[in-house]
């Protein structure tokens, strides 16, 4: 980090980030890109000129953190209203305080009011990924309301750019979208109180090297400059990517300003989440690899060297709510016989939980299903050589529950208005201290009284009426912040008190995956859609932002419950082996051959796992390359015939694809042990084509399948 004539510079990995104080006192972005020489100096900052009388320097100059005021027409980082009706906020530099060689706090203050903002910067020396956030402090004599607060703003100079971002829906998460960045703004967001399946708080911006504005826009997989970012927040969030009136690109991300209003009393502070940002000159592939290694080294609870995920068995698709001691023991015995490390009992074990109409909130063991409590099952699982995990959904309540009958006021709601149920459940208001304590208390008790190694922490709906009427009217919107802060604090306390317990973040599949929750959770459930063919495309999308280490993938039954597609067990296993492997099939229906196939492949997976989930990940078929194949027109649902090593590309190109895959596999195998090489090699030769195809064209999975451009084997070439 360096500072000269009020120029601040952070260097890490292959990146440099620099900003400075301009002649007007504003903090102005200078540079973000490839690392520049130690001795290279950066020019002092100077504001941009006004653009006619319509755009003043305040709006044409790229600011690090722009307050809304003084005629700012681009997205503000901070918007405040004061008690006297003033809503003008102009932030000027006060001072900078280094916190060691790689981190820096910069204090800004409004030009006349006692509102202070501390911008926090730190850069990872290995990856060059920056962590940025902001803290607001009200030193006025009266309260102020924060109407909008970003964690950070990032600016890129005018150029031709492509934006990549991830969208989806329940059972169809992780679609990679790519589009040119044109004038105006693209907003990706969640207004749901939670991260959401519909968009993920990650973006990547690729610079198009081609000077021609007429050529096709394509984000390059392995070449070219890419800037990327990920917001560490599990509540309502927003990232806006705008190309401004002078063609600069400004990315602003933080709390979603929709329905936001955080009242800060005199002396109070508000901290934003962290917005991480990085730079790669090796295309989107390079950007993903930087993020993967950063997540492993700095984000996950067991960083910098998290344990490889145990191979799990999960009972959900086999038994759904019909869990009891004999049925779970029968599954556990079979799971142990194929080399599973962890047995997880899913929904149905507590309260009066016979289906999804009742029981959430009542976290006592159901005595009809488990007359002697959980201990006999847990002991049996241990005796079989596995550890034991349990499903919980702590933030929810069914109206048909003792908890709701006792505390109907504990749910998010607006009094006198309907309480909208989804999956027959309501959201507990975790922002309330008593609700927070109840949730932490029952989880602590459950983990203290039972030998539990793992929680699958679910969250099966989003918010409807986000009311919190126990606090004054002008403080009720704090719910968007306090709920998530309390969620994080419960997770943090539980991990501290039960350091051996690991946690999976699940929200009806991939509805809560972000760098905020990942500080407290070891893995995530990417989707309720466990069809192995659909998963290939989802896993590909997932890999842009998140490491395969955290990507749990189960092998379930065939034909698949969601789309009727039949696949061989080997195909299902190999698809799931791209991440952290799990088995979710009904083992009571398996043949002897199935058991021996699974046993062989789990052993092969165990020996290759470190390479698969911790190596450098290369996507061998780039989306740009896949786009050259007119695949969508050539296949009808009933004509799908896939093999694991064949994509849905026209025949004339299938040979190229096989070649790429086998090259990749060779690279992967060459880094694995001789044993795993032999095993995996054999299995890949044995992989059977998919039998049959999608059931109907109107099936939701088919729609998803045919929109996804490709699904190649993800190869990890190096540990
Ligand atoms: C959610 C999860 C599933 C399963 C069910 C149980 O849908 O994503 O994996 O745990 O809840 O109700």
């Amino acid at each position: 980090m360096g500072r000269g004539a009020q120029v601040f510079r952070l260097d890490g990995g292959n990146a440099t980030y620099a900003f400075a104080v301009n002649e007007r006192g504003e903090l102005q972005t200078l540079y973000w890109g490839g690392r520049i020489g130690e001795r290279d100096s950066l020019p002092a900052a100077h504001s941009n000129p006004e653009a006619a009388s319509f755009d003043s320097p305040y709006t044409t100059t790229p600011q690090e953190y722009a307050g809304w005021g003084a005629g700012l027409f681009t997205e503000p980082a901070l918007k405040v209203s004061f008690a006297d009706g003033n809503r003008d906020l102009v932030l000027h530099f006060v001072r900078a305080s280094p916190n060691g060689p790689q981190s820096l706090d910069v204090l800004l203050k409004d030009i006349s009011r006692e509102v202070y903002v501390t911008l926090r910067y730190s850069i990872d020396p290995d990856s060059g990924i920056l962590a940025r956030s902001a803290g607001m402090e009200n030193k006025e004599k009266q309260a102020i309301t924060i109407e909008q607060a970003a964690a950070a703003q990032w600016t890129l100079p005018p150029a031709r750019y492509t934006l990549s971002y991830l969208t989806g829906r329940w059972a169809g998460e992780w679609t990679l979208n790519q589009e040119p960045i044109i004038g105006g703004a693209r907003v990706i967001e969640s207004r749901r109180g939670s991260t959401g399946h519909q968009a993920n708080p990650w973006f990547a911006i690729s610079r198009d090297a081609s000077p021609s504005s007429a050529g096709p826009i394509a984000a390059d997989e392995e070449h070219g400059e890419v800037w990327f970012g990920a917001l560490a927040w599990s509540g309502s969030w927003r990232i806006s990517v705008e190309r401004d009136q002078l063609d600069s690109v400004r990315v602003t991300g933080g709390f979603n300003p929709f329905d936001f209003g955080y009242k800060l009393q005199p002396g109070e502070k508000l901290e934003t989440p962290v917005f991480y940002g990085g730079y790669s000159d090796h295309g989107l592939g390079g950007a993903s690899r930087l993020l993967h290694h950063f997540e492993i080294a700095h984000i996950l609870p067991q960083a910098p060297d998290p344990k490889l995920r145990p191979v799990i068995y999960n009972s959900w698709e086999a038994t759904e709510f019909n869990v009891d001691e004999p049925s779970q023991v029968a599954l556990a015995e079979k799971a142990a016989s194929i080399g599973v490390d962890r047995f997880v009992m899913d929904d149905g074990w507590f309260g009066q939980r016979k289906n999804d109409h009742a029981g959430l909130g009542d976290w006592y063991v159901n005595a009809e299903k488990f007359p002697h409590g959980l201990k006999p099952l847990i002991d049996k699982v241990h005796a079989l050589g596995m550890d034991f995990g349990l499903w919980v959904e702590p933030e929810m309540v069914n109206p048909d529950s003792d908890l709701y009958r006792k505390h109907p006021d504990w749910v998010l709601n607006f009094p006198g208005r309907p309480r909208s149920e989804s999956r027959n459940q309501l959201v507990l208001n975790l922002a309330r201290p008593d609700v927070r304590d109840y949730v932490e208390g029952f989880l602590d008790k459950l983990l203290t009284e039972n030998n539990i190694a793992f929680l699958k922490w679910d969250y099966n709906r989003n918010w409807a009426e986000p009311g919190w009427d126990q606090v004054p009217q002008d403080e009720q919107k704090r719910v968007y912040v306090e709920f998530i802060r309390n969620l994080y604090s419960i997770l943090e306390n539980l991990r501290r008190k039960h350091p051996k317990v690991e946690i999976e973040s699940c929200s009806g599949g991939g509805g809560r995956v972000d760098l905020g929750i990942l500080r407290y959770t070891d893995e995530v459930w990417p989707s309720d859609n466990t069809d192995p063919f659909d998963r290939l495309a989802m896993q590909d999308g997932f890999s842009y932002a998140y490491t395969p280490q955290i990507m749990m993938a189960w092998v379930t039954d065939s034909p698949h419950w969601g789309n009727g597609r039949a696949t061989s067990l080997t195909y299902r296993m190999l698809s799931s082996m791209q991440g952290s492997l799990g088995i979710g099939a009904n083992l009571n229906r398996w043949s002897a051959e199935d058991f021996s196939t699974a046993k062989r492949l789990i052993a092969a997976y165990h020996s290759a796992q470190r390479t698969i989930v911790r190596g450098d990940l290369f996507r061998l078929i780039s989306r740009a390359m896949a786009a050259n194949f007119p695949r969508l027109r050539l296949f009808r649902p009933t004509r799908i015939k896939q093999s694991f090593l064949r994509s849905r590309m026209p025949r004339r190109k299938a040979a190229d694809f096989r070649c790429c895959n086998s090259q990749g596999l060779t690279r992967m195998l060459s880094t694995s042990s001789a044993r795993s090489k032999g095993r995996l090699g054999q299995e890949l030769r044995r992989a059977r084509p998919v039998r049959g195809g999608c059931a109907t064209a109107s099936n939701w999975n088919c729609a998803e399948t045919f929109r996804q451009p490709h699904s190649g084997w993800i190869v990890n070439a190096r540990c």
Side-chain angles (χ1 to χ4, degrees), residues 570 573-574 577 596-606 683:
T570 303
M573 293 285 301
L574 290 173
M577 285 162 62
S596 84
T597 302
K599 188 172 180 179
R600 206 174 51 237
L601 282 168
I602 289 175
Y605 177 75
H606 269 137
E683 294 312 331

Side-chain angles (χ1 to χ4, degrees), residues 458-489:
D458 213 335
Y459 184 86
N460 274 309
R461 63 161 294 177
N462 295 133
W463 296 5
E465 300 85 12
W468 179 10
D469 65 318
Q470 289 80 24
V471 295
Q473 183 272 330
D474 55 1
E475 287 178 18
Q476 293 183 6
K477 289 181 177 175
R478 277 177 172 240
V479 70
Y480 286 103
V481 177
E482 308 310 343
F483 187 112
I484 308 302
R485 297 249 185 263
N486 282 349
L487 167 66
Y488 291 162
S489 85

Side-chain angles (χ1 to χ4, degrees), residues 316 321 346-347 391 423 456 458 460 506 508-509 525 528 554:
W316 173 245
F321 301 96
D346 210 280
D347 199 349
W391 180 94
R423 209 193 190 206
K456 173 176 171 184
D458 213 335
N460 274 309
C506 171
W525 181 230
D528 275 350
W554 303 344

